[in-house]
Amino acid sequence: MKVKVCLSNSSCSRDKSLCFSLKKHLTESSRFLSTTQQNLCQTLSVDMSAASCLLTEDQFLCSICLDVFTDPVSTPCGHNFCKTCITEHWNIKVPYQCPNCKKIFSTRPELQVNTFISEMAAQFRQSAQQKASSSSSEQQAAKPGEVPCDLCTGTKLKALKSCLVCLVCYCETHLEPHLTVSGLKRHQLIDPVENLEGRMCTKHDKLLELFCKTDQMCVCMLCTVLNHKTHDVVPLKEECEGKKAELGTTEAEIQQMIQKRRLKIQEIKHSVELSKEDADREIAAGVQVFTALKESVERSQAELIDTVKEKQRKTEKQAEGFVKDLEQEISELKKRSTEVEQLSRSEDHLHLLQSFTALNAAPPTKDWTGVSICPPSFEGTVVRAVIQLKEMLNEEMKHFEAKLKRVQQSAVDVTLDPDTAHPKLILSDDGKQVKHGDVYKNLPDNPERFDICVNVLAKQSFSSGRFYYEVQVKGKTNWDLGVARESINRKGEIILTPQDGYWTICLRNDNEYYALEDLAVCLSLKPKPEKVGVFVDYEEGLVSFYDVDAAALIYSFTGCSFTEKLYPFFSPFFNNNGKNSAPLIISPVNHTE
């Protein structure tokens, strides 16, 4: 395709700098074309195909259309042009002048066809097309989601750059003028982007190259004169640097949030591990107990079966003896019946009379009237087996009670500290009971006092060894119990977790029990405990809670790391319009055997 270039000073492009660049390029091309004759003479002895490889593209360009010669003709001054280009040029320009050397002809010159240049240009065009075709095939076609070249026809190649002056996306081939032509080199190139029109001001059709900080929007040069005259306007680059700084701060905050969440994941996983360890211990203890119960039941079952079978064997043996005696007597009686029958048919009177006395005697039979088989009595056998099983269960319960008794040996005397109590809490005079009241007492706001949460600590603290105390929770619908380290925060809202220095369990809504780990653990407690025992082994890092009446373990915090003093912790919670008005009562520990 030929490109018509206007040689006049009139505006034929939307961008004057582009027109200037093209004119300069035309001048440079003319300079190259002036040496064409000399180069051709030097290559006359070379094969035509070889010559086309030695000459450059500029030597085969028409200085008017800047394309490879088509139907090249020579002027009398020796310069070459496309026939159509020079003809149209002279149709416009009078007098007739050579576009290259500016020589003026008085009459319109007769143009001579340059067959040599024509053949060389044809070969060079074919070689250039093959090279362009090969280059295009090597370049990557634009894939879905990639920016295509705006100038490619047919297969759209992937764009390498976008020009903010031309508002065009270029592939590698079409980008070359912007890299070689001095006028085009000044254009601003960026990584390829779509919708370059969106970078133009819709009101003034100018490039958006400024930022209005007052209205927080991108504007063009005309906008700053008309609509944003008194506003704070800065170059886009300057604003972007500020925004990048903000993005850096945002990125740091995001990374911090990510780190916090990773730590939370670790906490949750650690809680799960602790829960799994507790579960494994409980399963092991349960398996041990129920294995013993199972073995005991199996022994009792085997003993029951053996006892019943033994009684049955004795009964069967007795019955076999009776049957044997009866069958023997039946046999003798049948024999006597046969003799009587034979004697009754005898015709020998003497023999009959002599034998009659012996046969008429009473047969040697046993009186079986009072003889019978009495089935063995199995009543009580199962009952006795169940009683034995119950005795074994009682032994197991004694084992649990003994364990609780051992824990109770670490009992300490605990009293509530009024200097830590929330102003709405009501403490008994002896410091053993606490409940929530409706009146906010005017008390000194000392550092030790809880000011928002209705909590209270004990006066006593512990930094080693073991200690145990019991609290009556009967009649309450909500409460918190446990221990807390000395450095806990006592002001504002408080979260009861080991991470914040609290190892507690709680009751909510009358029947919902939780162990307040970093991730709360739901507890299933039936029946509801009325008295809770709290046991701490400081060196072992253990905090355990017991249902005192059932002598059963409720929950244990294990693997704790204590480095500060620990205080017994209490919260009777809000009285809830009287529904939760019962007090928490520190009870004396009955640890006698």
Side-chain angles (χ1 to χ4, degrees), residues 142 145-150 157-164 167-172 175 188-196 199:
E146 295 180 338
V147 180
C149 174
D150 291 330
L157 299 183
K158 178 182 177 181
L160 293 184
K161 293 291 181 179
S162 294
C163 178
L164 293 181
L167 298 180
V168 176
C169 298
Y170 298 104
C171 65
E172 181 179 358
L175 180 64
Q188 185 178 356
L189 299 177
I190 62 172
D191 290 334
V193 293
E194 292 182 315
N195 190 26
L196 285 169
R199 296 176 176 267

Side-chain angles (χ1 to χ4, degrees), residues 511-523:
N511 59 2
E512 299 174 7
Y513 293 90
Y514 299 95
L516 300 180
E517 292 271 14
D518 293 329
L519 190 64
V521 178
C522 183
L523 305 174

Side-chain angles (χ1 to χ4, degrees), residues 376-490:
S377 175
F378 299 113
E379 294 183 3
T381 306
V382 176
V383 173
R384 283 190 293 275
V386 172
I387 291 174
Q388 292 177 357
L389 182 60
K390 182 179 179 181
E391 292 175 353
M392 190 273 293
L393 290 173
N394 289 335
E395 289 297 324
E396 290 295 330
M397 288 301 298
K398 289 180 181 179
H399 172 73
F400 288 120
E401 291 174 357
K403 185 175 181 179
L404 178 59
K405 293 294 184 182
R406 288 194 297 271
V407 169
Q408 289 175 331
Q409 298 301 317
S410 302
V412 294
D413 185 21
V414 173
T415 54
L416 301 173
D417 185 359
D419 291 337
T420 66
H422 182 274
K424 279 194 174 183
L425 292 183
I426 301 174
L427 277 60
S428 62
D429 294 338
D430 60 359
K432 297 294 184 180
Q433 300 185 27
V434 58
K435 64 181 180 179
H436 180 260
D438 295 323
V439 179
Y440 192 97
K441 298 188 292 291
N442 185 17
L443 299 174
D445 186 20
N446 50 287
E448 295 81 12
R449 190 179 307 282
F450 293 95
D451 63 347
I452 298 296
C453 298
V454 287
N455 304 333
V456 62
L457 300 180
K459 292 181 179 180
Q460 295 75 19
S461 64
F462 305 89
S463 57
S464 64
R466 302 176 178 180
F467 63 94
Y468 174 85
Y469 61 94
E470 293 178 353
V471 182
Q472 180 178 307
V473 296
K474 182 179 180 180
K476 295 194 66 60
T477 60
N478 295 273
W479 50 258
D480 300 282
L481 289 176
V483 293
R485 66 188 179 207
E486 185 177 26
S487 63
I488 55 171
N489 176 33
R490 310 183 190 199

Side-chain angles (χ1 to χ4, degrees), residues 324-336:
K324 183 176 180 181
D325 291 344
L326 288 170
E327 288 178 347
Q328 184 176 356
E329 290 188 4
I330 289 172
S331 178
E332 293 178 356
L333 289 173
K334 285 182 177 179
K335 181 179 179 182
R336 189 177 183 86

Side-chain angles (χ1 to χ4, degrees), residues 160-445:
L160 293 184
K161 293 291 181 179
S162 294
C163 178
L164 293 181
V165 178
C166 305
L167 298 180
V168 176
C169 298
Y170 298 104
C171 65
E172 181 179 358
T173 301
H174 293 115
L175 180 64
E176 185 175 356
H178 278 76
L179 304 177
T180 57
V181 179
S182 59
L184 298 178
K185 285 182 179 180
R186 292 194 295 268
H187 289 192
Q188 185 178 356
L189 299 177
I190 62 172
D191 290 334
V193 293
E194 292 182 315
N195 190 26
L196 285 169
E197 291 77 6
R199 296 176 176 267
M200 300 296 291
C201 177
T202 56
K203 292 183 179 179
H204 309 113
D205 198 27
K206 295 292 183 180
L207 184 66
L208 297 171
E209 51 186 343
L210 300 171
F211 184 80
C212 178
K213 302 183 74 172
T214 305
D215 293 336
Q216 290 293 301
M217 61 183 297
C218 298
V219 296
C220 69
M221 290 296 295
L222 284 179
C223 288
T224 62
V225 178
L226 300 175
N227 307 93
H228 303 263
K229 186 175 182 180
T230 61
H231 294 182
D232 184 8
V233 179
V234 297
L236 289 181
K237 183 178 180 180
E238 179 181 335
E239 182 64 19
C240 284
E241 289 175 354
K243 295 299 183 185
K244 286 181 179 179
E246 293 181 13
L247 289 175
T249 303
T250 303
E251 174 65 14
E253 293 175 352
I254 292 174
Q255 291 299 326
Q256 187 176 8
M257 293 171 65
I258 292 173
Q259 184 62 23
K260 287 183 179 179
R261 280 152 180 78
R262 285 176 176 169
L263 292 175
K264 180 58 67 175
I265 290 174
Q266 293 179 359
E267 292 176 6
I268 293 173
K269 289 183 177 179
H270 180 63
S271 298
V272 173
E273 290 175 359
L274 294 179
S275 177
K276 186 177 184 303
E277 291 175 1
D278 291 341
D280 291 341
R281 281 194 295 270
E282 287 299 313
I283 290 173
V287 168
Q288 183 179 0
V289 170
F290 282 98
T291 298
L293 289 174
K294 181 180 178 182
E295 292 175 353
S296 178
V297 170
E298 290 176 347
R299 284 196 303 271
S300 298
Q301 177 181 324
E303 291 174 1
L304 172 65
I305 293 173
D306 290 343
T307 300
V308 172
K309 286 185 176 181
E310 181 61 26
K311 288 184 178 181
Q312 180 63 20
R313 280 196 298 271
K314 290 181 179 179
T315 300
E316 290 176 354
K317 186 174 181 181
Q318 183 183 28
E320 288 175 359
F322 289 157
V323 170
K324 183 176 180 181
D325 291 344
L326 288 170
E327 288 178 347
Q328 184 176 356
E329 290 188 4
I330 289 172
S331 178
E332 293 178 356
L333 289 173
K334 285 182 177 179
K335 181 179 179 182
R336 189 177 183 86
S337 175
T338 301
E339 292 176 352
V340 171
E341 183 181 0
Q342 291 176 354
L343 185 60
S344 63
R345 290 197 299 267
S346 176
E347 298 294 335
D348 186 349
H349 303 107
L350 178 62
H351 175 68
L352 187 149
L353 293 173
Q354 290 177 343
S355 301
F356 178 80
T357 302
L359 289 174
N360 198 31
T365 58
K366 180 180 179 179
D367 185 6
W368 292 93
T369 305
V371 177
S372 63
I373 296 297
C374 182
S377 175
F378 299 113
E379 294 183 3
T381 306
V382 176
V383 173
R384 283 190 293 275
V386 172
I387 291 174
Q388 292 177 357
L389 182 60
K390 182 179 179 181
E391 292 175 353
M392 190 273 293
L393 290 173
N394 289 335
E395 289 297 324
E396 290 295 330
M397 288 301 298
K398 289 180 181 179
H399 172 73
F400 288 120
E401 291 174 357
K403 185 175 181 179
L404 178 59
K405 293 294 184 182
R406 288 194 297 271
V407 169
Q408 289 175 331
Q409 298 301 317
S410 302
V412 294
D413 185 21
V414 173
T415 54
L416 301 173
D417 185 359
D419 291 337
T420 66
H422 182 274
K424 279 194 174 183
L425 292 183
I426 301 174
L427 277 60
S428 62
D429 294 338
D430 60 359
K432 297 294 184 180
Q433 300 185 27
V434 58
K435 64 181 180 179
H436 180 260
D438 295 323
V439 179
Y440 192 97
K441 298 188 292 291
N442 185 17
L443 299 174
D445 186 20

